[in-house]
Amino acid sequence: MNLSFFDQFTSPCLLGIPLILLSMLFPALLLPTPDNRWITNRFSTLQLWFSHLIAKQLMMPLNKGGHKWALILTSLMVFLLTINLLGLLPYTFTPTTQLSMNMALAFPLWLATLLTGLRNQPSTSLGHLLPEGTPTPLIPALIMIETTSLLIRPLALGVRLTANLTAGHLLIQLISTATTALLPIIPAVSILTASILLLLTILEVAVAMIQAYVFVLLLSLYLQENI
């Protein structure tokens, strides 16, 4: 029984071929195809408004040098948000519950922000490793601590997204299993559990949106430190 709870996090396969790439590309099918007209329908208008809102929120703390990243960060936000929300549907697979995928997103983008800072302003970027006014005996220890905190940033990004989504999916499956099991035995408790499941599902929708936003927001803050 315990092992079956984690079967939902196993990448689906067809004839031995992993379908995780297909599940990552599927959200793109929900977006309207480009058209020569500025506004085609209400869905396109809503999509443009939402993309503009995301880009505005992400670019607000950045200076003009960071606005070059608007397309990358906005696309990543829409991608993560769509995958997280689609993963809450029944009989679906959520690629963002895989730590390998989240690390594949976090590490290159974090490294790009770091290399951008080292190329444009190496002194300022390296100066973050040693706070101003540090006593001389503490300099080696602080440099090691700051370097470690810098290197674990991509790991923290990936683990945070994976852990929050995995915990939510497990809670939903546990409570739904309890609701089904209690229905023929104690219907009153089963109804109460179903109401808790409904509230938890609403909470997980919020968590899916917040985690996608936090992932991209932290990347934009890392970028702000290096531009």
Side-chain angles (χ1 to χ4, degrees):
M1 177 63 72
N2 293 334
L3 293 178
S4 65
F5 287 148
F6 293 92
D7 289 343
Q8 59 178 319
F9 305 118
T10 305
S11 177
C13 296
L14 179 64
L15 300 177
I17 302 175
L19 300 180
I20 184 173
L21 182 61
L22 182 63
S23 62
M24 292 171 58
L25 296 177
F26 179 75
L29 301 177
L30 302 177
L31 303 178
T33 56
D35 199 337
N36 293 329
R37 293 174 293 181
W38 284 5
I39 299 178
T40 55
N41 51 38
R42 294 179 180 177
F43 183 70
S44 299
T45 306
L46 183 61
Q47 179 194 0
L48 290 175
W49 172 81
F50 186 65
S51 300
H52 175 72
L53 179 63
I54 292 175
K56 181 180 178 181
Q57 291 295 326
L58 293 177
M59 295 298 107
M60 191 177 299
L62 301 180
N63 54 29
K64 289 186 178 180
H67 292 178
K68 301 175 183 178
W69 290 65
L71 180 60
I72 297 177
L73 295 179
T74 305
S75 302
L76 179 63
M77 174 73 180
V78 174
F79 173 72
L80 291 176
L81 183 61
T82 310
I83 285 184
N84 291 350
L85 292 178
L86 288 177
L88 293 174
L89 297 176
Y91 302 103
T92 55
F93 172 70
T94 312
T96 44
T97 56
Q98 306 295 312
L99 181 60
S100 57
M101 174 189 161
N102 296 334
M103 290 300 300
L105 291 174
F107 183 77
L109 292 172
W110 165 82
L111 185 61
T113 61
L114 183 62
L115 293 179
T116 300
L118 292 176
R119 183 190 65 178
N120 296 335
Q121 45 181 13
S123 299
T124 305
S125 298
L126 294 177
H128 292 153
L129 301 179
L130 184 63
E132 187 177 356
T134 304
T136 304
L138 297 179
I139 289 178
L142 277 179
I143 290 179
M144 293 179 60
I145 293 173
E146 292 296 330
T147 304
T148 303
S149 65
L150 178 65
L151 295 178
I152 65 174
R153 282 181 174 181
L155 181 62
L157 282 175
V159 170
R160 180 187 295 108
L161 182 58
T162 304
N164 282 281
L165 294 181
T166 302
H169 283 65
L170 281 175
L171 280 175
I172 288 177
Q173 185 169 1
L174 284 170
I175 296 179
S176 60
T177 303
T179 303
T180 307
L182 291 173
L183 183 59
I185 305 174
I186 314 176
V189 178
S190 178
I191 294 174
L192 178 62
T193 310
S195 61
I196 296 176
L197 178 61
L198 177 61
L199 295 177
L200 180 62
T201 303
I202 298 174
L203 176 64
E204 285 306 311
V205 171
V207 168
M209 300 172 65
I210 291 172
Q211 289 304 315
Y213 176 71
V214 168
F215 187 93
V216 183
L217 179 63
L218 289 177
L219 281 175
S220 67
L221 294 178
Y222 297 159
L223 178 63
Q224 175 62 24
E225 293 180 358
N226 293 282
I227 57 175

